[in-house]
């Protein structure tokens, strides 16, 4: 499907059925010099209907890198959807070099169910690269990589916190990789957490295939948050300028990011109602009280303290806490 925009940049909106369905993304087959929209089939539902991811593509007539921006690999993480929609409204086909690809929703079944995990309760971002002849989530993951992600040179994968938690605007990247480190810093996020990605994550799998990828965390699930959406768009603008895909200049962040060499979640050791005290971005002193746990009658059971100096990257917002519940995500720098 090729879209023409009018003078106001408003595209004639096609019905979903008028958008062509493809079985595999082939960059060379995309129309050059235009915005195009596609449905890419991954698997089938029990009714035999295709489960398809939506794709926005801007392929220039001029050579350049292939940059992918994807969202909702966890189905309830919607801020990134709006980022991708706005990105494609802001970037003009005439200005772009290379190829810009956006997938507003990667985990389609979970998006419809408004949940984080795939329909078999599996986290797609822990089972990459999936398995071509595996179970439902494994096949879906495998086809995501073989039919879509393998086309990319660069990936910005947009996420948020899970239900019951909140995140800062922060980036996860392998800061020992100079290209990934540069992409991370271009996002203008206040915090960067270094790491190569756990086994089974999309980022670690694509790294093995030569794709430079970073994960960008955009605050909270189940909600559009205009401020972080705009911040992420600024980061993508910077990324495209840096890669030579659009003209312009890189906008520097108001202050340099705090780059954490490692990070971890603090957990409770018993159940109760949890009150987490610091705010996102607070810098904690060693042994600072960070949370209080109450029993159901309101008595204070215990307090939790920061084991070391660090910055609050994310925190629990849901007070209903079982033993082992998360308290806060501490970034150490
Ligand atoms: Zn996520």
């Amino acid at each position: 499907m090729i879209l023409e925009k009018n003078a106001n940049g408003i595209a004639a909106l096609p019905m979903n059925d008028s958008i062509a369905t493809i079985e595999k993304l082939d960059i060379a087959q995309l129309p050059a010099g235009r915005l195009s929209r596609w449905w890419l089939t991954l698997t089938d539902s029990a009714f035999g209907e295709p489960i398809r991811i939506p794709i926005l593509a801007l392929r220039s007539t001029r050579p350049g890198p292939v940059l992918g921006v994807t969202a909702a690999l966890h189905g309830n993480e919607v801020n990134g959807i709006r980022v991708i929609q706005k990105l494609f409204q802001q970037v003009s086909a005439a200005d772009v070099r290379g190829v810009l690809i956006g997938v507003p929703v990667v985990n389609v079944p979970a998006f419809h169910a408004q949940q984080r995990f795939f329909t078999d309760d599996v986290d797609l971002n822990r089972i990459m690269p999936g398995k071509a002849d595996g179970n439902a989530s494994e096949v879906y993951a495998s086809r995501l990589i073989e039919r879509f992600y393998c086309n990319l040179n660069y990936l910005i994968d947009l996420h948020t916190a899970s239900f019951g938690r909140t995140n800062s605007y922060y980036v996860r990247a392998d800061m020992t990789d100079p290209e990934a480190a540069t992409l991370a810093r271009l996002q203008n996020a206040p915090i960067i957490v270094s790491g190569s990605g756990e086994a089974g994550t999309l980022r670690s799998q694509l790294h093995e295939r030569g794709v430079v990828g970073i994960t960008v965390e955009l605050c909270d699930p189940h909600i559009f948050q205009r401020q972080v959406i705009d911040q992420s768009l600024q980061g993508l603008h910077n990324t495209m300028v840096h890669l030579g895909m659009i003209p312009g200049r890189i906008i520097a962040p108001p202050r340099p990011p705090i780059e954490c060499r490692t990070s971890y979640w603090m957990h409770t050791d018993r159940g109760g109602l949890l009150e987490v005290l610091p705010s996102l971005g607070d810098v904690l002193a060693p042994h600072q009280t960070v949370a209080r746990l109450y029993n159901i009658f309101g008595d204070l059971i215990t307090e939790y303290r920061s084991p070391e100096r660090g910055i609050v990257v994310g925190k629990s917002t849901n007070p209903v806490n079982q033993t082992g519940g998360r308290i806060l995500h501490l970034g150490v720098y």
Side-chain angles (χ1 to χ4, degrees), residues 72-77 116 123 125 157-162 215 217:
L73 179 58
H74 297 127
N76 61 350
E77 300 181 355
R116 176 178 174 83
D123 184 341
N125 207 23
D157 192 29
L158 305 175
H159 286 254
T160 75
S162 296
T215 304
E217 297 279 350

Side-chain angles (χ1 to χ4, degrees), residues 25-246:
L25 182 66
D26 180 352
I27 298 291
Q29 298 297 317
L30 294 173
R34 291 175 181 275
L35 171 67
S36 57
R37 296 176 177 185
W38 309 89
W39 293 112
L40 169 61
T41 300
L42 293 180
T43 56
D44 300 328
S45 75
F47 278 2
E49 293 170 332
I51 298 174
R52 307 176 298 182
I53 56 171
I55 293 181
L56 292 146
L58 255 179
R59 179 180 168 226
S60 172
T61 53
R62 297 175 292 176
V66 181
L67 170 65
V69 187
T70 58
L73 179 58
H74 297 127
N76 61 350
E77 300 181 355
V78 299
N79 272 329
I81 297 173
R82 195 73 189 112
V83 171
I84 293 169
Q85 292 172 341
K86 286 189 161 189
L87 176 67
F88 278 83
Q89 288 163 358
Q90 292 177 358
V91 177
S92 158
D95 289 340
V96 170
R97 281 181 179 274
V99 184
L100 176 66
I101 309 275
V103 179
V105 176
V106 172
N107 188 343
V108 172
F111 170 78
H112 287 303
Q114 300 192 54
Q115 64 187 32
R116 176 178 174 83
F117 294 142
F118 199 71
T119 44
D120 53 6
D121 276 342
V122 167
D123 184 341
L124 287 184
N125 207 23
R126 293 294 181 276
I127 60 161
M128 295 291 174
K131 211 169 159 189
D133 59 353
N135 62 31
S137 51
E138 289 170 335
V139 175
Y140 194 90
S142 168
R143 292 184 182 176
L144 271 174
I145 288 185
E146 299 305 329
R147 298 184 182 191
F148 170 68
Y149 280 111
C150 64
N151 287 282
L152 307 180
N153 302 131
Y154 299 93
L155 170 68
I156 311 276
D157 192 29
L158 305 175
H159 286 254
T160 75
S162 296
F163 176 75
R165 306 202 277 270
T166 182
N167 277 346
S168 309
Y169 174 36
Y170 79 97
V171 179
R172 292 178 182 271
D174 180 358
M175 298 301 280
T176 64
D177 175 342
E179 282 194 290
T182 299
L183 290 191
R185 293 179 182 125
L186 287 167
Q187 305 313 307
N188 292 0
I191 303 172
I192 297 173
V193 173
S194 185
S196 54
E198 294 174 44
T201 61
L202 179 62
R203 188 158 58 89
S204 66
Q205 277 304 315
L206 292 182
H207 178 75
E208 291 182 12
R209 293 168 178 246
V211 180
V212 178
I214 62 170
T215 304
V216 179
E217 297 279 350
L218 305 176
C219 300
D220 303 337
H222 293 289
I223 189 170
F224 279 164
Q225 292 165 292
R226 185 175 296 177
Q227 184 178 357
V228 77
I229 288 168
D230 288 344
Q231 288 172 316
S232 180
L233 280 164
Q234 183 70 72
L236 292 171
H237 167 90
N238 282 351
T239 303
M240 294 184 72
V241 172
H242 168 75
L243 295 175
M245 297 178 71
I246 55 172

